[in-house]
Amino acid sequence: MSMAEYKGKVKNIQDTPFGYTVSLIGGKWKLVIMYLLAENQPIRFNDLKRQIGAITYKTLSSQLKELEADGLVKRKEYPQVPPKVEYSLTEKAETLLPVLEGLCEWGTKNQKLNPDL
């Protein structure tokens, strides 16, 4: 389905495929987390935190839990001391990678149009 099929019919954005997708990946950090997982999986929590930088431990933890609950991130815990946990994308999340690539291509094209950025 495309956006055109919903033109003039949308009463609630949540009822559309777009609304569903945004509910899974929307917000400030989820796409950043998915991008970094795509580039570096599997990755440990502290490594992910270091790469993101400006995110709190609590926020990163809650975002990872939400992504895991939505079936986009896998959490693998190793039974050792100290605990070791790694995160990676699920097959469902990997189907979103072309969308991330499209965003990167859009950024490449449009960033050149705004050299002050």
Side-chain angles (χ1 to χ4, degrees), residues 104-115:
C104 289
E105 289 171 18
W106 185 91
T108 299
K109 177 182 171 188
N110 288 280
Q111 191 173 26
K112 291 177 185 173
L113 297 174
N114 298 311

Side-chain angles (χ1 to χ4, degrees), residues 3 12 17 19 27 33-34 49 66 69 80-81 85 98 103 109 113:
M3 289 171 43
N12 185 347
I33 291 167
M34 290 180 64
K49 165 72 173 91
E66 287 179 25
Q80 66 185 51
V81 177
V85 178
L103 290 171
K109 177 182 171 188
L113 297 174

Side-chain angles (χ1 to χ4, degrees), residues 50-106:
R50 240 179 262 113
Q51 289 184 27
I52 296 173
I55 190 171
T56 65
Y57 286 100
K58 181 180 178 180
T59 300
L60 178 56
S61 179
S62 70
Q63 295 291 280
L64 285 166
K65 284 178 184 173
E66 287 179 25
L67 288 165
E68 185 180 9
D70 291 333
L72 298 174
V73 168
K74 291 185 277 198
R75 181 181 189 271
K76 185 173 182 182
E77 192 171 331
Y78 296 90
Q80 66 185 51
V81 177
K84 177 181 175 183
V85 178
E86 291 180 336
Y87 294 91
S88 58
L89 296 177
T90 63
E91 288 182 29
K92 180 180 178 180
E94 289 183 5
T95 64
L96 280 167
L97 294 182
V99 175
L100 294 179
E101 286 292 334
L103 290 171
C104 289
E105 289 171 18
W106 185 91

